[in-house]
């Protein structure tokens, strides 16, 4: 019975194929014959022909997987490096380089310095996250970082940090100078191995972090001029004093998060926030003399002195408002004011900076003035000495007269002298 049914279905299938082939043109007949010869099993069983994959499908899959892997690790490296913070560090270093360049700016040297600074800053930030992986996992704003979320392993992060740190230091040593490379290496050690563990020990970590933030502009100045001078301390001093109100505002806004992470911030020991606000206000006022010093030391023109004073009074007003009304809203306003202060201050330094020749003219004028004053002082001293000598001569008593005892009258001259 089964054989009869199979033979009947086979004859019906053959008759249908013959009828359809008679209606098709020759080209379609050739294609159908080739397809039937190439896939006889599908034709015999009555199923449609499966799609044949193109010969390059495996390579396309490999390229797409490689692209997704590259995007994944690029995103992890970006977050490990704290790229936006590192770019701010690069901006301060580049500003220091321009200020230390004088009249002629070495643009290739500026690019190499910025690249090396970026690599060292990325290394320091990556090591910071390696050491704080458990703390970051407890905080809301850091729990999604690559290490707490286990998107990258700890050995991988350490390898990345070590590679870019060494490469950045070597780049600064070869393209800038050893002083800049030494400052970069010391800043990396200070940030990763001193500031990072101190955040869990004592609130003084904020001031240590301020020192870390003040070194990059000094690095740029040293890379351009090859030395560290008094004129190069304007921007580092501004960054040091600026960071205190900036981080005090941030620590006050995120004090619950910092407490959950186990960090010893200054605001956690100040329930009322009064001392935190007072520290922010005091360091804001310390920024006022920097514009005058930049003008007095020949770094900028007199316009920067005025602009810097107005800018500093603005951030001081925000700090004073936070001191009077210690709320999260006022702290956020001071935080935004600090974010605005730094780029405007650095832009003013670059716009009003004096080239090297103008600085030399000012220095020569000051030297001439000093020499003129010194000569005047010497002349006045000589005159005083001459007057003293003349007065001494005038007031000098006459020599004792040997004959006064034998003169007949004291007012007449003696006729002879007695031996």
């Amino acid at each position: 019975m089964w054989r009869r049914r199979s033979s009947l279905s086979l004859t019906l299938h053959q008759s249908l194929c013959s009828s359809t082939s008679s209606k098709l043109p020759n080209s379609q007949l050739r294609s159908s014959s080739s397809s039937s010869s190439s896939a006889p099993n599908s034709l015999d069983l009555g199923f449609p022909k499966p799609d044949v994959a193109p010969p390059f499908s495996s390579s396309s899959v490999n390229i797409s997987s490689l692209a997704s892997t590259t995007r994944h690790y690029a995103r992890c490296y970006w977050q490990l490096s704290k790229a936006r913070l590192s770019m701010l560090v690069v901006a301060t270093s580049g500003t220091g380089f321009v200020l230390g360049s004088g009249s002629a700016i070495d643009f290739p040297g500026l690019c190499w310095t910025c690249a090396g600074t970026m690599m060292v800053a990325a290394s320091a930030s990556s090591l910071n996250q390696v050491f704080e992986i458990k703390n970051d996992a407890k905080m809301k704003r850091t729990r999604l970082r690559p290490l707490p979320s286990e998107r990258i392993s700890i050995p991988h992060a350490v390898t990345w940090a070590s590679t870019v740190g060494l490469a950045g230091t070597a780049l600064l040593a070869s393209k800038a100078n050893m002083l800049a490379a030494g400052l970069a290496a010391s800043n990396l050690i200070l940030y990763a191995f001193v500031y990072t563990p101190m955040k869990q020990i004592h609130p003084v970590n904020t001031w240590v972090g301020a020192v870390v933030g003040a070194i990059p502009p000094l690095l740029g100045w040293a890379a351009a001029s090859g030395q560290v001078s008094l004129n190069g301390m304007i921007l580092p001093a501004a960054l040091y004093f600026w960071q205190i109100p900036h981080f005090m505002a941030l620590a006050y806004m995120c004090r619950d998060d910092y407490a959950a992470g186990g960090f010893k911030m200054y605001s956690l020991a100040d329930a009322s926030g009064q001392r935190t606000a007072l520290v922010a206000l005091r360091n804001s006022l310390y920024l006022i003399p920097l514009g005058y010093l930049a003008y007095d030391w020949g770094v900028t023109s007199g316009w920067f002195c005025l602009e810097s004073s107005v800018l500093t009074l603005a951030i001081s007003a925000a700090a004073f408002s936070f001191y009077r009304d210690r709320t999260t809203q006022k702290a956020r306003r001071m935080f935004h004011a600090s974010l605005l202060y730094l780029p405007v201050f650095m832009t003013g330094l670059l716009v009003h900076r004096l080239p090297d020749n103008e600085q030399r003219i000012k220095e020569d004028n000051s030297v001439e003035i000093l020499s003129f004053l010194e000569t005047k002082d010497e002349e006045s001293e000589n005159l005083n000495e001459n007057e003293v000598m003349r007065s001494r001569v005038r007031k000098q008593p006459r020599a004792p007269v040997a004959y006064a005892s034998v003169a007949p009258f004291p007012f007449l001259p003696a006729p002879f002298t007695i031996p």
Side-chain angles (χ1 to χ4, degrees):
M1 186 68 182
W2 179 78
R3 291 179 180 176
R4 289 179 183 177
R5 290 180 179 177
S6 61
S7 61
L8 180 60
S9 63
L10 184 59
T11 54
L12 288 173
H13 180 70
Q14 289 176 355
S15 62
L16 287 172
C17 290
S18 61
S19 62
T20 53
S21 62
S22 62
K23 296 178 182 179
L24 292 173
N26 295 331
S27 61
Q28 294 186 5
L29 283 173
R30 293 191 191 96
S31 62
S32 62
S33 62
S34 63
S35 63
S36 62
S37 62
S38 61
N41 294 332
S42 61
L43 184 61
D44 292 342
L45 297 176
F47 297 115
K49 180 182 177 183
D51 295 334
V52 180
F56 54 84
S57 61
S58 60
S59 61
S60 63
V61 170
N62 292 334
I63 292 174
S64 63
S65 64
L66 179 62
S68 63
T69 304
T70 303
R71 285 195 299 268
H72 168 74
Y73 283 110
R75 194 177 298 111
C76 291
Y77 294 152
W78 177 272
Q79 295 178 357
L80 279 174
S81 304
K82 298 180 182 177
R84 289 183 294 180
L85 178 61
S86 297
M87 285 189 287
L88 178 61
V89 173
V90 170
T92 61
S93 178
T95 304
F97 187 95
V98 174
L99 292 175
S101 298
S103 57
I105 301 174
D106 181 15
F107 287 100
L110 174 63
C111 294
W112 289 120
T113 301
C114 290
T117 305
M118 182 68 186
M119 296 171 75
V120 175
S123 174
S125 299
S126 301
L127 290 175
N128 172 267
Q129 295 185 51
V130 169
F131 295 144
E132 293 181 350
I133 179 172
K134 294 181 180 179
N135 305 87
D136 290 343
K138 300 175 183 178
M139 300 174 64
K140 292 181 181 179
R141 68 185 187 92
T142 57
R143 64 178 55 175
L144 296 180
R145 285 177 176 176
L147 288 172
S149 60
E150 298 182 352
R151 286 182 287 137
I152 196 171
S153 64
I154 295 178
H156 193 151
V158 172
T159 303
W160 155 258
S162 303
T163 302
V164 294
L166 292 173
T169 305
L171 184 65
L172 289 172
S174 59
K175 297 298 183 179
N177 50 58
M178 292 301 297
L179 179 59
L183 287 171
S186 62
N187 206 29
L188 190 154
I189 294 172
L190 185 63
Y191 182 81
F193 299 100
V194 179
Y195 167 71
T196 298
M198 192 172 288
K199 289 169 67 177
Q200 305 177 43
I201 298 173
H202 198 274
V204 77
N205 66 81
T206 303
W207 283 264
V208 178
V211 174
V212 172
I215 291 178
L218 195 62
L219 185 156
W221 182 284
S225 63
Q227 61 182 353
V228 175
S229 60
L230 187 63
N231 294 356
M233 298 302 296
I234 297 293
L235 188 54
L239 274 164
Y240 177 84
F241 294 124
W242 166 83
Q243 286 179 95
I244 305 301
H246 176 78
F247 283 109
M248 287 297 165
L250 181 63
Y252 187 84
M253 291 188 298
C254 304
R255 57 188 182 277
D256 295 334
D257 216 15
Y258 280 120
F263 294 113
K264 306 293 184 182
M265 308 306 292
Y266 190 81
S267 59
L268 297 181
D270 183 20
S272 63
Q274 183 176 5
R275 287 182 296 170
T276 302
L278 183 60
V279 170
L281 177 60
R282 185 169 62 243
N283 284 270
S284 298
L285 294 175
Y286 290 160
L287 294 167
I288 294 177
L290 295 181
Y292 173 77
L293 291 177
Y295 166 69
D296 186 62
W297 293 349
V299 179
T300 62
S301 63
W303 284 105
F304 178 75
C305 179
L306 177 62
E307 295 172 2
S308 175
S309 300
V310 174
L311 184 63
T312 307
L313 289 176
I315 190 175
S316 300
F320 181 72
S321 177
F322 173 55
Y323 176 74
R324 291 185 60 187
D325 186 13
R326 294 177 297 277
T327 60
T328 304
Q329 182 181 2
K330 297 294 184 180
R332 185 176 289 108
R333 183 176 299 178
M334 187 179 69
F335 180 76
H336 291 159
S338 67
L339 290 177
L340 180 65
Y341 173 87
L342 188 60
V344 176
F345 184 85
M346 291 193 300
T347 303
L349 278 173
L350 294 177
V351 170
H352 298 291
R353 77 181 187 93
L354 294 177
D356 191 46
N357 53 359
E358 295 185 16
Q359 292 184 21
R360 287 178 180 174
I361 291 172
K362 190 171 182 180
E363 291 176 358
D364 293 341
N365 291 335
S366 61
V367 170
E368 289 178 0
I369 292 171
L370 290 175
S371 62
F372 176 76
L373 293 175
E374 289 177 356
T375 53
K376 288 293 184 182
D377 291 338
E378 290 178 357
E379 290 178 358
S380 62
E381 289 177 359
N382 293 332
L383 290 174
N384 292 332
E385 290 179 358
N386 293 332
E387 290 179 357
V388 169
M389 292 297 294
R390 288 174 184 172
S391 63
R392 287 178 180 176
V393 169
R394 291 170 185 170
K395 296 179 181 180
Q396 185 175 4
R398 296 179 65 181
V401 181
Y403 57 83
S405 59
V406 296
F409 296 98
F411 53 87
L412 292 178
F416 57 92
T417 59
I418 298 174

